[in-house]
Amino acid sequence: MTESMTQVTGAVQALTQSADTLFLLLGAIMVFLMHAGFAFLEVGTVRQKNQVNALVKILADFGVSTIAYFFIGYWLAYGATFFADAETLSAGNGFALVKFFFLLTFAAAIPAIVSGGIAERARFNPVLISTFFIVGFVYPLFEGMIWNGNFGLQAWFEGRFGAAFHDFAGSVVVHAVGGWIALVAVMLLGMRKGRIRAGKHTNFAPSNIPFLALGAWILSVGWFGFNVMSAQSINGVSGLVAVNSLMAMVGGILAAVVLGKNDPGFIHNGPLAGLVAVCAGSDLMHPLGALITGIVAAAIFVWLFTYMQNHTKIDDVLGVWPLHGVCGAWGGIAAGIFGLQSLGGLGGVSFFVQLLGTVIGIGIALVGSLIVYGLVDKLSGLRLSEEDEFNGADLAIHKISATNLE
């Protein structure tokens, strides 16, 4: 009887482990697909002479990110390496390997975010070099602090304020960090030629609204893998995360429709703003809190992107700093507001900790990116020549255009 029970228990454990591995693998695939969303969002936004570069850049960045994270970043964040035999690595259905794949797709989102900000005037190889150091060193520094307790930051938060910094799916760890890294790169590159004419700002219209919309749809669908599957196990799946993601997305859509005055660019970025912001507290908030979080995020994006494009020298092509950087920071703070039990949330969060943790993440992003992009710019230059920028990155870098005009 005892032996029989042991066999049953072992079989249940094996089945659970297999299910968790499959669950996380599906999540990794969904988030990996989001990179196609990043690519098409950029393709639809940039001018036609830079569309090939947008596609190639996202894919090449993913390849470099994988190497950087496999050999350096994952070890820095979690202390784990892959220098063992295949039999050891595949233990437990290879769950540890699939976890790496899942977290890699998050790490690789950083250069994908940056790509949209620096589009149309960045050199190819220097950007790839920068990607290696950002994903290998800068991103995993903060990732490990928040999601693995490195350097005792979370322990200090809990001991001093009674709650750790809460970021369930990366509003701050991924999006805010990526957006503020992008801001530094954008500032170093400067404005695209032709943006200022007769002393006034000129905005280039998106080249392909259907591609822009396709990118937004792919990202929106993949986001449910990004958020829900951050539980990393079947047992941890939460319908609350799914519905909160849905409500924040819808809040973003509706706010963008009203505030964006029916502009398709704003309407398709609105849901993304809401989804960025809800990542941190999607497992804590009441759906109404998530709805408000999404509405505020889209309002932030529409106002800030409009102001930035028309009144500043920050030439952020896709608006990745307001969308990911600022809305991601809002998401970290919102988790400390709508996660409170007094506002219908599950509790266990501190507003001050959420604010402080968000500021620390932004600080690491700014300092790290200044070092990486600053050194690369000084040593090799980040920006295309004026002639190459005029001809477009497609011909200048890849020697081919997006369409055959013959």
Coordinates of all heavy atoms in Angstrom, one line a residue, residues 137-218:
F137 N 24.5 43.0 -18.8 CA 24.9 43.6 -17.5 C 23.9 44.5 -16.9 O 23.6 44.4 -15.7 CB 26.2 44.4 -17.8 CG 27.4 43.5 -18.1 CD1 27.7 43.3 -19.5 CD2 28.1 42.8 -17.2 CE1 28.8 42.5 -19.8 CE2 29.2 42.0 -17.5 CZ 29.5 41.8 -18.8
V138 N 23.4 45.5 -17.7 CA 22.5 46.5 -17.1 C 21.2 46.0 -16.6 O 20.8 46.1 -15.5 CB 22.3 47.7 -18.1 CG1 21.4 48.8 -17.4 CG2 23.7 48.3 -18.4
Y139 N 20.4 45.4 -17.6 CA 19.1 44.8 -17.2 C 19.1 43.8 -16.1 O 18.4 43.9 -15.2 CB 18.4 44.3 -18.5 CG 17.2 43.4 -18.2 CD1 16.0 44.0 -17.8 CD2 17.3 42.0 -18.3 CE1 14.9 43.3 -17.5 CE2 16.1 41.3 -18.0 CZ 15.0 41.9 -17.6 OH 13.9 41.2 -17.3
P140 N 20.0 42.8 -16.2 CA 20.0 41.7 -15.1 C 20.4 42.3 -13.8 O 20.1 41.6 -12.8 CB 21.0 40.7 -15.6 CG 21.8 41.4 -16.6 CD 20.9 42.4 -17.3
L141 N 21.0 43.4 -13.7 CA 21.4 44.0 -12.4 C 20.1 44.3 -11.6 O 20.0 43.8 -10.4 CB 22.2 45.2 -12.6 CG 22.6 46.0 -11.3 CD1 23.5 45.1 -10.4 CD2 23.3 47.3 -11.6
F142 N 19.2 45.0 -12.2 CA 17.9 45.3 -11.5 C 17.0 44.1 -11.5 O 16.3 43.9 -10.5 CB 17.3 46.5 -12.2 CG 16.1 47.1 -11.5 CD1 16.2 47.6 -10.2 CD2 14.8 47.0 -12.0 CE1 15.1 48.1 -9.5 CE2 13.7 47.5 -11.3 CZ 13.9 48.0 -10.0
E143 N 17.0 43.3 -12.5 CA 16.1 42.1 -12.5 C 16.5 41.2 -11.3 O 15.6 40.8 -10.6 CB 16.4 41.4 -13.8 CG 15.6 40.0 -13.9 CD 16.1 39.2 -15.1 OE1 17.2 39.4 -15.6 OE2 15.3 38.2 -15.4
G144 N 17.8 41.0 -11.1 CA 18.2 40.1 -10.0 C 17.8 40.7 -8.6 O 17.5 40.0 -7.7
M145 N 17.9 42.1 -8.5 CA 17.6 42.7 -7.3 C 16.1 42.5 -6.9 O 15.8 42.3 -5.7 CB 17.9 44.2 -7.4 CG 19.4 44.5 -7.5 SD 19.8 46.2 -8.0 CE 19.3 47.1 -6.5
I146 N 15.2 42.6 -7.9 CA 13.8 42.6 -7.7 C 13.3 41.1 -7.7 O 12.5 40.7 -6.8 CB 13.0 43.4 -8.7 CG1 13.5 44.9 -8.6 CG2 11.5 43.3 -8.5 CD1 13.4 45.5 -7.2
W147 N 13.7 40.3 -8.6 CA 13.1 39.0 -8.8 C 13.9 37.9 -8.2 O 13.4 36.7 -8.2 CB 12.8 38.7 -10.3 CG 11.6 39.5 -10.8 CD1 10.7 40.1 -10.1 CD2 11.3 39.7 -12.2 NE1 9.7 40.7 -10.9 CE2 10.1 40.5 -12.2 CE3 11.9 39.4 -13.4 CZ2 9.5 40.9 -13.4 CZ3 11.3 39.8 -14.6 CH2 10.1 40.5 -14.6
N148 N 15.1 38.2 -7.7 CA 15.9 37.1 -7.1 C 16.4 37.6 -5.7 O 17.2 36.8 -5.1 CB 17.0 36.7 -8.0 CG 17.6 35.4 -7.6 OD1 16.9 34.4 -7.3 ND2 19.0 35.3 -7.5
G149 N 16.1 38.8 -5.3 CA 16.6 39.2 -4.0 C 18.0 39.6 -3.8 O 18.6 39.6 -2.7
N150 N 18.7 39.8 -5.0 CA 20.1 40.1 -5.0 C 20.4 41.4 -4.2 O 19.6 42.4 -4.3 CB 20.7 40.2 -6.4 CG 20.6 38.9 -7.1 OD1 20.2 37.9 -6.5 ND2 20.9 38.9 -8.4
F151 N 21.6 41.5 -3.6 CA 22.1 42.7 -2.9 C 21.2 43.1 -1.7 O 21.4 44.2 -1.2 CB 22.2 43.9 -3.9 CG 23.1 43.6 -5.1 CD1 22.6 43.4 -6.4 CD2 24.5 43.4 -4.9 CE1 23.4 43.1 -7.4 CE2 25.3 43.1 -6.0 CZ 24.8 43.0 -7.3
G152 N 20.3 42.3 -1.4 CA 19.5 42.6 -0.1 C 18.5 43.7 -0.2 O 18.0 44.1 0.8
L153 N 18.2 44.2 -1.4 CA 17.3 45.3 -1.5 C 15.9 45.0 -1.1 O 15.3 45.7 -0.3 CB 17.2 45.9 -3.0 CG 16.3 47.0 -3.3 CD1 16.7 48.3 -2.5 CD2 16.2 47.3 -4.8
Q154 N 15.4 43.8 -1.6 CA 14.0 43.4 -1.2 C 14.0 43.1 0.3 O 13.0 43.4 1.0 CB 13.6 42.2 -2.0 CG 13.4 42.5 -3.5 CD 12.1 43.2 -3.7 OE1 11.7 44.1 -3.0 NE2 11.3 42.7 -4.7
A155 N 15.0 42.5 0.9 CA 15.0 42.2 2.3 C 15.0 43.5 3.1 O 14.3 43.6 4.1 CB 16.3 41.4 2.7
W156 N 15.7 44.5 2.6 CA 15.7 45.8 3.3 C 14.3 46.5 3.2 O 13.9 47.1 4.2 CB 16.8 46.8 2.6 CG 16.8 48.1 3.3 CD1 17.4 48.4 4.5 CD2 16.3 49.3 2.8 NE1 17.2 49.8 4.8 CE2 16.6 50.4 3.7 CE3 15.6 49.7 1.6 CZ2 16.2 51.7 3.5 CZ3 15.2 51.0 1.4 CH2 15.5 52.0 2.4
F157 N 13.7 46.4 2.1 CA 12.3 46.9 1.9 C 11.4 46.3 2.9 O 10.6 47.0 3.6 CB 11.8 46.7 0.5 CG 12.3 47.7 -0.5 CD1 12.4 47.3 -1.8 CD2 12.5 49.0 -0.2 CE1 12.8 48.2 -2.8 CE2 13.0 49.9 -1.1 CZ 13.1 49.5 -2.5
E158 N 11.5 45.0 3.0 CA 10.6 44.2 3.9 C 10.9 44.6 5.4 O 9.9 44.8 6.2 CB 10.7 42.7 3.7 CG 10.1 42.3 2.4 CD 9.9 40.8 2.3 OE1 9.2 40.2 3.2 OE2 10.6 40.1 1.5
G159 N 12.2 44.6 5.7 CA 12.5 44.9 7.1 C 12.2 46.3 7.5 O 11.8 46.6 8.7
R160 N 12.4 47.3 6.6 CA 12.2 48.7 6.9 C 10.8 49.2 6.8 O 10.3 50.0 7.6 CB 13.1 49.5 6.0 CG 13.1 51.0 6.3 CD 13.8 51.4 7.6 NE 13.8 52.8 7.8 CZ 12.8 53.6 8.2 NH1 11.7 53.0 8.5 NH2 13.0 54.9 8.4
F161 N 10.1 48.6 5.7 CA 8.8 49.2 5.4 C 7.6 48.1 5.5 O 6.5 48.4 5.3 CB 8.8 49.8 4.1 CG 9.8 50.9 3.9 CD1 10.9 50.7 3.2 CD2 9.6 52.1 4.5 CE1 11.9 51.7 3.0 CE2 10.5 53.2 4.3 CZ 11.7 52.9 3.6
G162 N 8.0 46.9 5.7 CA 7.0 45.8 5.9 C 6.5 45.2 4.6 O 5.6 44.4 4.7
A163 N 7.1 45.6 3.5 CA 6.6 45.0 2.2 C 7.8 45.1 1.2 O 8.5 46.1 1.2 CB 5.4 45.7 1.7
A164 N 7.9 44.1 0.3 CA 8.9 44.1 -0.7 C 8.3 44.9 -1.9 O 7.1 45.2 -2.0 CB 9.2 42.7 -1.2
F165 N 9.2 45.2 -2.8 CA 8.8 45.9 -4.1 C 8.1 44.9 -4.9 O 8.6 43.8 -5.2 CB 10.0 46.5 -4.8 CG 9.6 47.2 -6.1 CD1 9.0 48.4 -6.1 CD2 9.9 46.5 -7.3 CE1 8.7 49.1 -7.3 CE2 9.5 47.2 -8.5 CZ 8.9 48.4 -8.5
H166 N 6.9 45.2 -5.3 CA 6.0 44.2 -6.1 C 6.0 44.6 -7.6 O 5.5 45.7 -7.9 CB 4.6 44.2 -5.5 CG 3.8 43.1 -6.0 ND1 3.7 41.9 -5.5 CD2 3.0 43.0 -7.1 CE1 2.9 41.1 -6.2 NE2 2.4 41.8 -7.2
D167 N 6.5 43.7 -8.4 CA 6.4 43.9 -9.8 C 6.2 42.5 -10.4 O 7.1 41.8 -10.9 CB 7.7 44.5 -10.4 CG 7.6 45.0 -11.8 OD1 6.5 44.7 -12.4 OD2 8.5 45.6 -12.3
F168 N 4.9 42.1 -10.5 CA 4.6 40.7 -10.9 C 5.1 40.4 -12.3 O 5.7 39.3 -12.5 CB 3.0 40.6 -10.8 CG 2.6 39.2 -11.2 CD1 2.8 38.1 -10.4 CD2 1.9 39.0 -12.4 CE1 2.4 36.8 -10.8 CE2 1.4 37.7 -12.8 CZ 1.7 36.6 -12.0
A169 N 4.9 41.2 -13.3 CA 5.2 40.9 -14.6 C 6.1 42.0 -15.3 O 6.2 41.9 -16.6 CB 3.9 40.6 -15.4
G170 N 6.6 42.9 -14.6 CA 7.7 43.7 -15.2 C 7.3 45.1 -15.7 O 8.0 45.6 -16.5
S171 N 6.3 45.8 -15.1 CA 6.1 47.2 -15.4 C 7.3 48.0 -15.3 O 7.7 48.9 -16.2 CB 5.0 47.8 -14.5 OG 3.7 47.4 -14.9
V172 N 8.1 47.8 -14.2 CA 9.3 48.5 -13.9 C 10.5 47.7 -14.4 O 11.4 48.3 -15.1 CB 9.4 48.9 -12.4 CG1 10.7 49.7 -12.2 CG2 8.2 49.7 -12.0
V173 N 10.6 46.5 -14.0 CA 11.8 45.7 -14.3 C 12.1 45.6 -15.8 O 13.2 45.7 -16.2 CB 11.6 44.2 -13.7 CG1 12.8 43.3 -14.2 CG2 11.6 44.3 -12.2
V174 N 11.0 45.5 -16.6 CA 11.2 45.4 -18.0 C 10.9 46.7 -18.7 O 11.7 47.3 -19.4 CB 10.3 44.3 -18.6 CG1 10.5 44.2 -20.2 CG2 10.7 42.9 -18.0
H175 N 9.7 47.2 -18.6 CA 9.2 48.3 -19.4 C 9.8 49.7 -19.0 O 10.3 50.4 -19.8 CB 7.7 48.4 -19.4 CG 7.1 47.1 -20.0 ND1 7.1 46.9 -21.4 CD2 6.5 46.1 -19.4 CE1 6.5 45.8 -21.6 NE2 6.1 45.2 -20.5
A176 N 9.7 50.0 -17.7 CA 10.3 51.3 -17.3 C 11.8 51.3 -17.6 O 12.3 52.3 -18.1 CB 10.0 51.5 -15.8
V177 N 12.5 50.2 -17.2 CA 13.9 50.1 -17.4 C 14.2 50.3 -18.9 O 15.1 51.1 -19.3 CB 14.5 48.8 -16.9 CG1 15.9 48.6 -17.4 CG2 14.5 48.8 -15.3
G178 N 13.5 49.5 -19.8 CA 13.7 49.6 -21.2 C 13.4 51.0 -21.8 O 14.2 51.5 -22.6
G179 N 12.4 51.7 -21.3 CA 12.0 53.0 -21.8 C 13.0 54.1 -21.4 O 13.3 55.0 -22.2
W180 N 13.5 54.0 -20.2 CA 14.5 55.0 -19.7 C 15.9 54.8 -20.3 O 16.6 55.7 -20.6 CB 14.5 55.1 -18.2 CG 13.3 55.7 -17.6 CD1 12.1 55.1 -17.3 CD2 13.1 57.1 -17.4 NE1 11.2 56.0 -16.9 CE2 11.8 57.2 -16.9 CE3 13.9 58.2 -17.5 CZ2 11.3 58.5 -16.5 CZ3 13.4 59.5 -17.1 CH2 12.1 59.6 -16.6
I181 N 16.2 53.5 -20.6 CA 17.4 53.2 -21.4 C 17.3 53.8 -22.8 O 18.2 54.4 -23.3 CB 17.6 51.7 -21.5 CG1 18.1 51.1 -20.1 CG2 18.6 51.3 -22.6 CD1 18.2 49.6 -20.1
A182 N 16.1 53.6 -23.4 CA 15.9 54.2 -24.7 C 16.0 55.7 -24.7 O 16.5 56.3 -25.7 CB 14.5 53.8 -25.2
L183 N 15.5 56.4 -23.7 CA 15.6 57.8 -23.6 C 17.0 58.3 -23.7 O 17.3 59.3 -24.5 CB 15.0 58.3 -22.3 CG 15.1 59.9 -22.1 CD1 14.3 60.6 -23.1 CD2 14.6 60.2 -20.7
V184 N 18.0 57.6 -23.1 CA 19.4 58.0 -23.1 C 19.9 57.8 -24.5 O 20.6 58.7 -25.1 CB 20.2 57.2 -22.1 CG1 21.7 57.4 -22.4 CG2 19.8 57.5 -20.7
A185 N 19.6 56.7 -25.2 CA 20.0 56.5 -26.5 C 19.5 57.5 -27.5 O 20.2 58.0 -28.4 CB 19.6 55.0 -27.0
V186 N 18.2 57.8 -27.3 CA 17.5 58.8 -28.2 C 18.2 60.2 -28.0 O 18.4 60.9 -29.0 CB 16.0 58.9 -27.8 CG1 15.4 60.2 -28.5 CG2 15.3 57.7 -28.3
M187 N 18.5 60.6 -26.8 CA 19.1 61.9 -26.6 C 20.5 61.9 -27.2 O 21.0 63.0 -27.7 CB 19.2 62.1 -25.1 CG 17.8 62.3 -24.4 SD 16.9 63.7 -25.0 CE 17.8 65.0 -24.1
L188 N 21.3 60.8 -27.1 CA 22.6 60.8 -27.6 C 22.6 60.9 -29.1 O 23.5 61.5 -29.7 CB 23.4 59.5 -27.2 CG 23.8 59.5 -25.7 CD1 24.4 58.1 -25.4 CD2 24.9 60.5 -25.5
L189 N 21.6 60.3 -29.8 CA 21.5 60.3 -31.2 C 21.1 61.6 -31.8 O 21.5 62.1 -32.9 CB 20.5 59.2 -31.7 CG 21.1 57.8 -31.8 CD1 19.9 56.8 -31.9 CD2 22.1 57.6 -32.9
G190 N 20.3 62.3 -31.0 CA 19.7 63.6 -31.5 C 18.6 63.4 -32.5 O 18.1 62.3 -32.8
M191 N 18.1 64.5 -33.0 CA 16.9 64.5 -33.8 C 17.2 64.1 -35.2 O 18.3 64.3 -35.7 CB 16.2 65.9 -33.9 CG 15.8 66.4 -32.5 SD 14.9 68.0 -32.7 CE 13.3 67.5 -33.3
R192 N 16.2 63.5 -35.9 CA 16.4 63.1 -37.3 C 16.4 64.4 -38.1 O 15.8 65.4 -37.8 CB 15.2 62.2 -37.7 CG 15.2 60.8 -37.2 CD 13.8 60.2 -37.4 NE 12.8 60.8 -36.6 CZ 11.5 60.5 -36.7 NH1 11.1 59.6 -37.6 NH2 10.6 61.1 -35.9
K193 N 17.1 64.3 -39.2 CA 17.2 65.4 -40.2 C 15.8 65.7 -40.7 O 15.0 64.8 -41.1 CB 18.2 65.1 -41.3 CG 19.6 64.9 -40.9 CD 20.2 66.1 -40.2 CE 21.6 65.8 -39.8 NZ 22.2 67.0 -39.1
G194 N 15.4 67.0 -40.8 CA 14.1 67.3 -41.3 C 13.0 67.5 -40.3 O 11.9 67.9 -40.7
R195 N 13.3 67.2 -39.1 CA 12.3 67.3 -38.0 C 12.0 68.8 -37.7 O 10.9 69.1 -37.3 CB 12.7 66.6 -36.7 CG 12.5 65.1 -36.7 CD 11.0 64.7 -36.7 NE 10.2 65.5 -35.9 CZ 10.1 65.4 -34.6 NH1 10.8 64.5 -33.9 NH2 9.3 66.2 -33.9
I196 N 13.0 69.6 -37.8 CA 12.9 71.1 -37.6 C 12.9 71.8 -38.9 O 14.0 71.7 -39.6 CB 13.9 71.6 -36.6 CG1 13.9 70.9 -35.3 CG2 13.8 73.1 -36.5 CD1 12.6 71.1 -34.5
R197 N 11.9 72.4 -39.3 CA 11.8 73.2 -40.6 C 11.3 74.6 -40.3 O 10.2 74.8 -39.7 CB 11.0 72.5 -41.6 CG 11.4 71.1 -42.0 CD 10.5 70.5 -43.0 NE 10.9 69.1 -43.3 CZ 10.2 68.3 -44.1 NH1 9.1 68.7 -44.6 NH2 10.7 67.0 -44.3
A198 N 12.1 75.6 -40.7 CA 11.7 77.0 -40.5 C 11.5 77.3 -39.0 O 10.6 78.0 -38.6 CB 10.5 77.4 -41.3
G199 N 12.2 76.6 -38.1 CA 12.1 76.8 -36.7 C 11.0 76.1 -36.1 O 10.7 76.2 -34.9
K200 N 10.2 75.2 -36.8 CA 9.1 74.6 -36.3 C 9.2 73.0 -36.4 O 9.9 72.5 -37.3 CB 7.8 75.0 -37.0 CG 7.4 76.5 -36.8 CD 6.1 76.8 -37.5 CE 5.7 78.3 -37.3 NZ 4.5 78.6 -38.0
H201 N 8.6 72.3 -35.5 CA 8.7 70.9 -35.5 C 7.8 70.3 -36.6 O 6.7 70.8 -36.8 CB 8.2 70.3 -34.2 CG 9.2 70.4 -33.1 ND1 9.5 71.6 -32.5 CD2 9.9 69.5 -32.4 CE1 10.4 71.4 -31.6 NE2 10.7 70.1 -31.5
T202 N 8.4 69.3 -37.3 CA 7.6 68.6 -38.3 C 7.6 67.1 -38.0 O 8.6 66.5 -37.7 CB 8.3 68.8 -39.7 OG1 8.3 70.1 -40.1 CG2 7.5 68.0 -40.8
N203 N 6.4 66.5 -37.9 CA 6.3 65.1 -37.6 C 6.1 64.3 -38.8 O 5.2 64.6 -39.7 CB 5.2 64.9 -36.6 CG 5.4 65.6 -35.3 OD1 6.5 65.5 -34.8 ND2 4.4 66.3 -34.7
F204 N 6.9 63.2 -39.0 CA 6.7 62.3 -40.1 C 5.5 61.4 -39.9 O 5.4 60.7 -38.9 CB 8.0 61.5 -40.4 CG 9.2 62.4 -40.5 CD1 10.4 62.2 -39.8 CD2 9.2 63.4 -41.5 CE1 11.5 63.0 -39.9 CE2 10.4 64.2 -41.6 CZ 11.5 64.0 -40.9
A205 N 4.7 61.3 -40.9 CA 3.5 60.4 -40.8 C 3.9 59.0 -40.8 O 4.9 58.6 -41.5 CB 2.5 60.7 -41.9
P206 N 3.2 58.1 -40.1 CA 3.5 56.6 -40.2 C 3.4 56.2 -41.7 O 2.5 56.6 -42.5 CB 2.4 56.0 -39.4 CG 2.0 57.1 -38.4 CD 2.1 58.4 -39.2
S207 N 4.2 55.2 -42.1 CA 4.3 54.8 -43.5 C 3.2 53.8 -43.8 O 2.8 53.6 -44.9 CB 5.7 54.2 -43.8 OG 5.9 53.1 -43.0
N208 N 2.8 53.0 -42.8 CA 1.9 51.9 -43.1 C 1.0 51.6 -41.8 O 1.4 50.9 -40.9 CB 2.7 50.7 -43.5 CG 1.8 49.6 -44.1 OD1 0.8 49.2 -43.5 ND2 2.2 49.1 -45.3
I209 N -0.2 52.2 -41.8 CA -1.1 52.0 -40.7 C -1.5 50.5 -40.5 O -1.5 50.0 -39.3 CB -2.4 52.8 -40.8 CG1 -2.0 54.3 -40.8 CG2 -3.4 52.5 -39.7 CD1 -1.4 54.8 -39.5
P210 N -1.8 49.7 -41.5 CA -2.1 48.3 -41.3 C -0.9 47.5 -40.6 O -1.2 46.7 -39.7 CB -2.3 47.8 -42.7 CG -2.8 48.9 -43.5 CD -2.0 50.1 -42.9
F211 N 0.3 47.8 -41.0 CA 1.4 47.1 -40.3 C 1.5 47.6 -38.8 O 1.8 46.8 -37.9 CB 2.8 47.4 -41.0 CG 3.0 46.5 -42.2 CD1 4.0 46.8 -43.1 CD2 2.4 45.3 -42.3 CE1 4.2 46.0 -44.2 CE2 2.7 44.4 -43.3 CZ 3.6 44.8 -44.3
L212 N 1.3 48.9 -38.6 CA 1.3 49.4 -37.3 C 0.2 48.7 -36.4 O 0.5 48.3 -35.3 CB 1.1 50.9 -37.3 CG 1.2 51.8 -36.0 CD1 1.5 53.2 -36.4 CD2 -0.1 51.7 -35.2
A213 N -1.0 48.6 -37.0 CA -2.1 47.9 -36.3 C -1.8 46.5 -36.1 O -2.0 45.9 -35.0 CB -3.3 48.1 -37.1
L214 N -1.2 45.8 -37.0 CA -0.8 44.4 -36.9 C 0.2 44.2 -35.7 O 0.0 43.3 -34.9 CB -0.2 43.9 -38.2 CG 0.4 42.4 -38.1 CD1 -0.7 41.4 -37.8 CD2 1.1 42.1 -39.4
G215 N 1.2 45.1 -35.6 CA 2.1 45.1 -34.5 C 1.4 45.2 -33.2 O 1.7 44.5 -32.2
A216 N 0.5 46.2 -33.1 CA -0.2 46.4 -31.8 C -1.1 45.2 -31.5 O -1.2 44.8 -30.3 CB -1.1 47.6 -32.0
W217 N -1.7 44.6 -32.4 CA -2.5 43.4 -32.2 C -1.7 42.2 -31.7 O -2.0 41.5 -30.7 CB -3.3 43.0 -33.4 CG -4.6 43.7 -33.6 CD1 -4.9 44.7 -34.4 CD2 -5.8 43.4 -32.9 NE1 -6.2 45.1 -34.3 CE2 -6.8 44.3 -33.3 CE3 -6.2 42.5 -31.9 CZ2 -8.1 44.3 -32.8 CZ3 -7.5 42.5 -31.4 CH2 -8.4 43.4 -31.9
I218 N -0.5 42.0 -32.3 CA 0.3 40.9 -31.9 C 0.8 41.1 -30.5 O 0.8 40.2 -29.6 CB 1.5 40.7 -32.9 CG1 1.1 40.3 -34.3 CG2 2.6 39.7 -32.3 CD1 2.2 40.3 -35.3

